[in-house]
Amino acid sequence: MVARIDEEITFRKLEILLAFLEAGSLARAAEALGVSAVSVHRALHSLETGTRCSLFRLEGRNLQPNDAAHALADVAREVLQTMAQGIRSTREIAGYAADRIRIGSLYSLTSGTVPALIMALRLRKPDIQTELVLGSNHELLRKLREGELDAAVMGQPEGAADIESQLLFEDEIFFAAPVDSSYAAQSQIDLAQCSDERFVSLNEGYVTYDRFRDAFRVAGFEPNVVMTTNDIFSLMNLVGGRIGCTLLPGRTRSVLPRSVCLVPLLPEFQMRQKISVSFLRTRERDPNLLSLLAACRSYSAEHTAAQG
């Protein structure tokens, strides 16, 4: 069994010991550490209490270290270096201020938003390596909480007290239909009149699925969903292949197949998504996340200006 270390011996007091030996006097050590000479003297005396032996002798008014003090100092240097390396390794494993950052994303955000954020992040931290993980809102939130991700670009979680979010933009939901369908000629879609239509949708867990369900709840009927998928790009192709209609966020407009069009919904059925970068509140001081948040604020400002 490892012998217990007396509580009088702390890392801080060992640092003071090393500073005293290097400086050569209480006054110079206190100046280097930004504390009083009395504090230095008290810390050195408590080390004698903790080791239960004499570490210093008085020569006139000066405190001089003996061989035992130098022996303790040799061990202190090794212990402090080992602990500092251990803390660095621990922080790297946890993803805190590491040379890489793990970012989660919804599939629909990989065509523009995520690449822009990564480029902006690299301008601020050129040496950082980025790992991208795709998934549903539900999966990304779980991975954030389990430490598998540092941040996630996703639909802003609701009622998640442990999550901090930086809003990027709000996205409107549209009715998606084949370009040669009767819907394409309409200026707005009355969703309540679509009860006989076939629909395709994302699976549960995606933020677009949640808005899909919300819109049909307002419309007052259960949609006839003939097929589901985990990939929003596959969902668009299903619409283009006339398998069924669906609801899609406006951000997909730039990557829509030519066979698919987006039509606004009547105001009473309109839904919006808040797209944010989210991370654990306990990580809010992580330097990598602070750089990512700065990139997010720039992106949000540019997006708002472009919309205006």
Side-chain angles (χ1 to χ4, degrees):
M1 181 177 178
V2 178
R4 295 183 62 184
I5 306 299
D6 193 286
E7 62 183 11
E8 291 288 343
I9 300 177
T10 66
F11 289 132
R12 178 59 175 166
K13 291 173 185 177
L14 293 177
E15 289 173 340
I16 291 174
L17 170 64
L18 295 178
F20 172 71
L21 294 182
E22 182 176 340
S25 73
L26 293 174
R28 287 194 291 269
E31 183 180 0
L33 294 168
V35 298
S36 68
V38 173
S39 296
V40 174
H41 186 274
R42 187 181 297 118
L44 296 178
H45 179 66
S46 69
L47 285 176
E48 290 186 311
T49 301
T51 58
R52 296 181 176 85
C53 68
S54 175
L55 300 174
F56 308 95
R57 64 181 182 275
L58 277 174
E59 292 185 358
R61 300 182 62 181
N62 296 322
L63 195 64
Q64 296 294 331
N66 60 23
D67 290 343
H70 286 291
L72 179 60
D74 289 340
V75 175
R77 290 188 186 93
E78 183 177 347
V79 167
L80 292 172
Q81 290 172 358
T82 301
M83 192 62 196
Q85 180 58 47
I87 290 173
R88 283 195 296 271
S89 298
T90 299
R91 288 159 69 91
E92 288 176 3
I93 290 171
Y96 193 97
D99 59 359
R100 69 186 180 103
I101 186 169
R102 301 160 298 179
I103 300 177
S105 173
L106 301 174
Y107 291 89
S108 59
L109 295 166
T110 58
S111 62
T113 302
V114 170
L117 289 178
I118 290 175
M119 291 301 296
L121 175 61
R122 285 182 174 171
L123 288 176
R124 291 167 171 80
K125 298 182 77 72
D127 297 328
I128 198 167
Q129 298 296 315
T130 306
E131 178 183 342
L132 184 62
V133 178
L134 303 180
S136 68
N137 234 58
H138 178 78
E139 292 168 337
L140 296 177
L141 186 58
R142 175 184 60 78
K143 289 181 178 181
L144 273 180
R145 286 172 167 156
E146 294 179 357
E148 296 179 37
L149 294 175
D150 300 305
V153 191
M154 58 192 289
Q156 187 165 309
E158 298 177 359
D162 58 332
I163 300 295
E164 192 74 26
S165 296
Q166 172 67 48
L167 181 67
L168 291 172
F169 60 90
E170 289 193 36
D171 206 358
E172 185 177 348
I173 299 298
F174 292 84
F175 190 91
V179 293
D180 56 357
S181 69
S182 59
Y183 297 113
Q186 299 182 33
S187 59
Q188 291 183 311
I189 301 296
D190 182 353
L191 202 57
Q193 301 301 313
C194 300
S195 57
D196 294 331
E197 184 60 68
R198 294 178 305 171
F199 288 93
V200 291
S201 84
L202 290 174
N203 288 319
E204 188 173 356
Y206 290 85
V207 64
T208 298
Y209 170 86
D210 294 338
R211 300 295 82 82
F212 180 91
R213 304 302 304 181
D214 291 343
F216 283 102
R217 193 174 297 113
V218 174
F221 69 93
E222 186 71 21
N224 176 25
V225 177
V226 296
M227 187 173 293
T228 62
T229 179
N230 285 326
D231 178 356
I232 199 166
F233 298 105
S234 297
L235 183 65
M236 291 186 284
N237 288 325
L238 291 176
V239 175
R242 305 185 65 85
I243 303 301
C245 298
T246 195
L247 302 184
L248 288 174
R251 61 181 177 273
T252 61
R253 184 175 281 106
S254 63
V255 293
L256 277 178
R258 294 181 180 179
S259 55
V260 179
C261 65
L262 298 183
V263 185
L265 294 163
L266 284 175
E268 57 264 39
F269 307 115
Q270 289 176 3
M271 298 287 161
R272 300 185 71 83
Q273 296 177 354
K274 288 185 177 181
I275 302 300
S276 303
V277 169
S278 297
F279 53 93
L280 287 177
R281 183 158 292 175
T282 55
R283 299 278 306 281
E284 62 185 354
R285 296 185 183 276
D286 186 322
N288 286 345
L289 291 179
L290 291 176
S291 295
L292 178 60
L293 288 177
C296 292
R297 286 189 284 270
S298 296
Y299 178 89
S300 180
E302 294 172 4
H303 187 273
T304 300
Q307 295 297 312

